[in-house]
Amino acid sequence: MSELVPGGNAPLPGGAVTVRVPGPFDLSALVTDDGRKVRGDGDFVFFNQPAAPGAVLRGDTLTVDPPRLRAGATRVTVVVSPADPTVPLGSLPVPTLFITDTHGRHVARFTPPRPSQETVLLLAELYRRGADWKVRALGQGYADGLAGLARDFGVDVVDDGAPSAPSAPVPAGAPSGGRRAAPPRPPSDAEAPGFLPLVNSTRARAGSPPVSLDARLAEAARRHALAMAAAGRLGVEGGDGVAVHQRVTAAGFAYLTVGEHLVSGPRTLTEFVDHCLRTESLRRTLHEPAFTHAGLASAVGGPSGDTFWTALWATPLTPAGLIRARTDVIALTNHERARAGLPQLTPDPALTRAAQAHSDDMVARGFYSHTAPDGSRPWDRAAAAGSARRSIGENIACGQRSPAEVVTGWMNSPGHRANILAPGFTHIGIGFTGGGRSGTYWTQLFGG
């Protein structure tokens, strides 16, 4: 499989290919000629118009069959935008594009640099060269949404009369009533309005700042409480096999730190909070100063009609927060090296890109290993990101909630400790992604 960098390209096999971008994103595509202009509105494939000749969109997967594209088509540009237009693209996990052939074999992968102000990204283009087709990684951002992008490609965009926040465009002739982000939901549990005064008063007594209710966390909590009630048991994973952290990211909340209370038994909100205060680990989560947002839900189920509670606590992911987390991991790592009389490690952009891509990949494809499902190893990923370091080492971890926790865990493991204290390493890159079954995925990549 080809690991693409911006501007890089790779050949495509004959026949149809699938393009997938997992996560809280909307995928769309523009079918054009070499001049990058559509012939008509039918060349814009998106959620309201999911099919064109040779291009079919189903959820997070676009299937492109080049021989079946309309006459004169030589390019298919793949576009990604937030599923919820009110959520900044830069606050979500970095979108990763995967291309597979008809046999399910991975052909190429591309993770662009993290967006900042962009609301839409051109991720890649499939294009014809002679009789063959290739894919080129783009990573080009637009700050004015899908509507601006569509106009640049020659799509006629009509306004359906809604006065609210901008949404994806509706091409002329497409079904009316283009999809919009739902208005913010109220907290999903009837008692949630009383939740905030209770928890913020106990947080204040502990010296922690107040939290705000977040509709996305409330929705994730509601779905998980219902799943636990349906299965009749508590669990980080519901009876449907979905972990509570996956529900958080699926609801559109990308987090830097996350915590949860999964409790059964208390019948009222006051009983639930009292229960959390009586247990040290639950009390520590409730009082955690880093949390800024919360969501709560309960559901009744199981053989005894128990009440199953889910409370979610989180700090949203921001570019500055991610940089701070990386900086803290490096500082803690260098502190351990200084104690051992070793020189400091210098942050390296290529190693950082490779480390971040691996953390993103572990969440997106649901694995936890130094070897990715396509067989790539740490040195492969470092080279693909542009690193020329002669020696490469990698530490990974999942589930730790802070830089201090993850570095402590690595130092308590002989193999990971050996990487941190290896004299031959001179540079370092850190990756972090929230989501997946374990909640947090860390990658520490060393080069020398």
Side-chain angles (χ1 to χ4, degrees), residues 222-247:
R222 183 185 71 85
R223 290 182 179 273
H224 199 70
L226 287 170
M228 291 192 300
R233 59 177 174 81
L234 293 174
V236 173
E237 288 191 10
D240 54 4
V242 180
V244 64
H245 314 104
Q246 293 172 303
R247 300 189 205 279

Side-chain angles (χ1 to χ4, degrees), residues 1-5 8-20 62 64 66 96-111 124-127 133-137 361 365 373-376 384:
M1 185 187 77
S2 297
E3 187 83 35
L4 299 177
V5 297
N9 61 68
L12 294 176
V17 295
T18 60
V19 179
R20 180 170 177 259
L62 173 73
V64 179
T96 297
L97 175 144
F98 301 91
I99 298 182
T100 56
D101 64 15
T102 54
H103 302 289
R105 291 187 292 257
H106 289 280
V107 176
R109 180 178 63 188
F110 172 55
T111 302
E125 62 178 4
L126 283 57
Y127 64 100
W133 281 77
K134 294 185 174 184
V135 58
R136 178 183 292 114
D361 193 24
R365 290 202 274 180
D374 54 33
S376 64

Side-chain angles (χ1 to χ4, degrees), residues 111-135:
T111 302
R114 177 172 290 278
S116 54
Q117 303 301 316
E118 297 88 345
T119 57
V120 172
L121 280 181
L122 305 187
L123 271 186
E125 62 178 4
L126 283 57
Y127 64 100
R128 189 174 70 196
R129 277 292 176 267
D132 300 322
W133 281 77
K134 294 185 174 184
V135 58

Side-chain angles (χ1 to χ4, degrees), residues 212 214-222 248 251 253 293-296 312-314:
S212 301
D214 186 279
R216 296 162 296 176
L217 294 177
E219 174 64 13
R222 183 185 71 85
V248 173
F253 193 106
H293 293 75
L296 173 74
L312 293 170
W313 314 82

Side-chain angles (χ1 to χ4, degrees), residues 38 40 43 61 68 98 123 136 157 172 177 218 242 270 394 419:
V38 298
D43 283 347
T61 301
R68 296 181 179 272
F98 301 91
L123 271 186
R136 178 183 292 114
V157 180
V242 180
T270 300
E394 183 179 78
N419 273 339

Side-chain angles (χ1 to χ4, degrees), residues 186-441:
S188 57
D189 189 88
E191 295 176 301
F195 174 63
L196 210 55
L198 272 176
V199 300
N200 280 337
S201 63
T202 185
R203 284 175 64 87
R205 289 193 294 272
S208 298
V211 293
S212 301
L213 285 176
D214 186 279
R216 296 162 296 176
L217 294 177
E219 174 64 13
R222 183 185 71 85
R223 290 182 179 273
H224 199 70
L226 287 170
M228 291 192 300
R233 59 177 174 81
L234 293 174
V236 173
E237 288 191 10
D240 54 4
V242 180
V244 64
H245 314 104
Q246 293 172 303
R247 300 189 205 279
V248 173
T249 52
F253 193 106
Y255 56 80
L256 186 63
T257 54
V258 68
E260 67 280 339
H261 287 144
L262 308 176
V263 174
S264 66
R267 298 289 180 172
T268 67
L269 178 63
T270 300
E271 289 179 7
F272 167 74
V273 175
D274 287 343
H275 172 82
C276 294
L277 289 172
R278 286 196 303 270
T279 307
E280 182 183 355
S281 61
L282 300 183
R283 185 173 62 250
R284 189 166 55 246
T285 298
L286 193 155
H287 290 161
E288 171 56 54
F291 294 139
T292 58
H293 293 75
L296 173 74
S298 65
V300 176
S304 305
D306 288 337
T307 302
F308 291 83
W309 297 83
T310 300
L312 293 170
W313 314 82
T315 304
L317 179 68
T318 63
L322 180 60
I323 291 171
R324 185 168 59 252
R326 288 172 173 161
T327 301
D328 289 347
V329 171
I330 294 172
L332 290 165
T333 299
N334 278 331
H335 175 71
E336 297 295 342
R337 287 177 64 88
R339 291 176 60 189
L342 295 169
Q344 303 285 281
L345 299 174
T346 302
D348 181 276
L351 295 178
T352 300
R353 287 194 298 271
Q356 187 61 49
H358 190 54
S359 289
D360 292 342
D361 193 24
M362 287 191 288
V363 171
R365 290 202 274 180
F367 72 97
Y368 177 68
S369 174
H370 295 287
T371 303
D374 54 33
S376 64
R377 304 294 298 275
W379 42 89
D380 301 319
R381 296 187 287 269
S387 174
R389 304 291 166 193
R390 290 176 296 177
S391 59
I392 295 292
E394 183 179 78
N395 287 341
I396 58 175
C398 63
Q400 294 81 2
R401 304 297 173 90
S402 70
E405 188 177 340
V406 73
V407 174
T408 298
W410 281 328
M411 287 299 294
N412 288 335
S413 166
H416 298 96
R417 179 187 179 93
N419 273 339
I420 289 175
L421 301 182
F425 290 142
T426 58
H427 290 75
I428 189 173
I430 304 298
F432 167 84
T433 305
R437 284 180 165 79
S438 296
T440 55
Y441 290 76

